Structures are given as structure tokens and as C-alpha cells.
Amino acid sequence: MIELLPIEIEGHTFVGVSVKLPKTTLLVVSSDKGYIMCGALDVGLLNEKLADRKIIAGRAVGVKTLDQLLNAPLESVTHEAASLGITPGMIGRDAMLKMV
């Protein structure tokens, strides 16, 4: 099952995506600039192999719902996200507000 829903944070609308897969759920919250995602995100790949794309993204681990993703500290972030002031340990919702 795939869920797509708007997520409001401080007057800004983001897109939440939840994809139910066998034994796991893929979670993403996105803006026009970047996104945060569950542990399935490979930040190392984005920073190394896809560096030329300048992807703004952060990864939170151990989350099972979009709400948990928004309230969890980010475990890692891309170099481009760091250039916007997004840091590991920052809560997902705060990171999204830097992506507007």
C-alpha cells in the first residue's frame, strides 16, 4: 500500500510518502528542495557517487511512521544539506523547515 499525504509544518506544506513493503515501510517527507527519509537512504552514495547532483537529504533510522520520521534526530545528512545548516542530530521537522 502507498500513502501520499500533505504535511503542514509552520505554514509550509510538504509531501509525505509511506510505502508498505514486506517486513518494512519506506518513509519520505519531501519539499521542492530536498527530503528526509528512513534508514533506507544511502547518504554515502548521494555524497560520493551522486555528488554532482547536489542532493539535499537527511536520514533518520529506527522510524516506522511519518510522524516518527519528523520527530526523530537525523543520523546523517548530505553535504548539500549541511551547507543549509542541516546537521546530524537535528529533528526531521526542523530540517524540513530549512528546505523551504
Side-chain angles (χ1 to χ4, degrees), residues 17-87:
V17 180
S18 175
V19 181
K20 303 282 184 190
L21 300 170
K23 301 181 183 180
T24 193
T25 303
L26 181 66
L27 301 166
V28 181
V29 177
S30 178
S31 75
D32 289 340
K33 281 189 177 181
Y35 56 92
I36 59 173
M37 191 169 162
C38 65
L41 180 66
D42 188 342
V43 171
L45 173 82
L46 298 180
N47 280 336
E48 295 164 24
K49 304 274 185 197
L50 304 177
D52 60 319
R53 296 185 190 184
K54 300 184 180 199
I55 296 170
I56 299 167
R59 174 182 186 224
V61 295
V63 295
K64 296 181 180 178
T65 67
L66 289 170
D67 190 56
Q68 287 178 357
L69 177 59
L70 289 168
N71 291 295
L74 298 178
E75 177 264 344
S76 55
V77 302
T78 62
H79 298 310
E80 281 300 308
S83 74
L84 292 178
I86 300 166
T87 59

